[in-house]
Amino acid sequence: MPPFTPDERLRAFGNQLIEVHLWLREELTRLRDGVDDPDVRPRELRAHCLAFCAALTRHHTGEDAGAFRVLADQVPELAPVLRELAADHHLVAETLRRVEQLVGGTAPPDEVRTELDTLAALLETHFVYEEKKLVGALNALTEGSTEDLLGVSLPPPEGGPDRTGPIARRGGRRHR
C-alpha cells in the first residue's frame, strides 16, 4: 500500500485499521514462530510477548474509547456491531492474560503454542468481522488521528524500525 498523503490520512481511517491489523497479525506470527525457534531465548520470547500484548491491548482500548464512540455517535446503526466487537475485546484480553502467564512461567512450548493458536484464531475472526463492518464508516470520518481512533500509530513501513525488540527482527519478513 502506498504511503498516505496528509489529506488521505484523514479520509482513510478504515484503511489504516487494516494496516494496523496486518501489523498485529505479522507480530503474532513472529511470536508464534519464536515459540518453536531453538535460537530464541525464553527472555526474548517473554519480552516480545509483553510488547505484542501491550500493543494489542492499546489498540483495542483505543478503539473502545475512540473509534467505537465516534462511530456510535455518527453511525448509530452500527451500535450492535460495536457492542459485539467490544465484547470480543474482553475475550481477547482474557486470552492475552493466559498467554502472558504461560510465557512468564515455565509452561512447555506446546502449551504456549496452543494458547497462541487460540489467540490467532480469535483475532483473525475479530479482525475480519471488524474490517468488513467498519472500514467504510471509518473511511468516511474526517476528523481525528490514528492514535486517537485506533489506539496505535500506523505500523512502521517495511524495512523501518520495529517496535517489539529482538525477536521481531529475526527474519524481518512481512506477511501479506
Side-chain angles (χ1 to χ4, degrees):
M1 179 176 281
F4 295 105
T5 66
D7 289 339
E8 289 171 326
R9 291 177 74 83
L10 290 176
R11 291 190 306 263
F13 290 119
N15 296 3
Q16 292 175 28
L17 175 73
I18 293 169
E19 282 295 309
V20 168
H21 286 174
L22 285 170
W23 177 71
L24 288 167
R25 284 176 175 113
E26 292 164 2
E27 290 306 308
L28 181 54
T29 296
R30 288 184 182 103
L31 183 59
R32 291 166 72 197
D33 290 348
V35 171
D36 299 322
D37 187 339
D39 294 332
V40 175
R41 289 180 254 147
R43 185 179 209 175
E44 289 175 341
L45 183 65
R46 201 169 314 120
H48 186 222
C49 178
L50 292 174
F52 171 79
C53 291
L56 183 58
T57 299
R58 259 190 333 274
H59 170 57
H60 283 164
T61 302
E63 284 181 327
D64 291 341
F68 289 6
R69 288 190 179 175
V70 170
L71 290 174
D73 287 343
Q74 294 187 17
V75 192
E77 60 271 19
L78 284 176
V81 170
L82 299 171
R83 282 192 297 275
E84 287 180 57
L85 292 168
D88 281 359
H89 290 173
H90 293 291
L91 293 173
V92 169
E94 290 173 21
T95 305
L96 286 176
R97 279 191 288 281
R98 287 192 301 271
V99 167
E100 288 174 347
Q101 288 173 342
L102 290 171
V103 173
T106 56
D110 61 328
E111 201 173 325
V112 174
R113 181 73 142 120
T114 298
E115 200 62 39
L116 287 173
D117 289 346
T118 298
L119 178 62
L122 180 59
L123 284 176
E124 189 59 28
T125 302
H126 173 75
F127 288 165
V128 167
Y129 181 69
E130 187 173 67
E131 291 166 7
K132 180 180 177 185
K133 297 294 186 177
L134 300 185
V135 166
L138 286 168
N139 279 346
L141 296 178
T142 58
E143 293 184 28
S145 71
T146 307
E147 187 82 30
D148 291 340
L149 292 173
L150 304 178
V152 294
S153 301
L154 281 175
E158 191 166 339
D162 69 329
R163 300 180 187 164
T164 55
I167 192 171
R169 288 189 289 272
R170 294 181 192 278
R173 64 193 179 280
R174 288 183 60 97
H175 302 279
R176 298 241 178 206

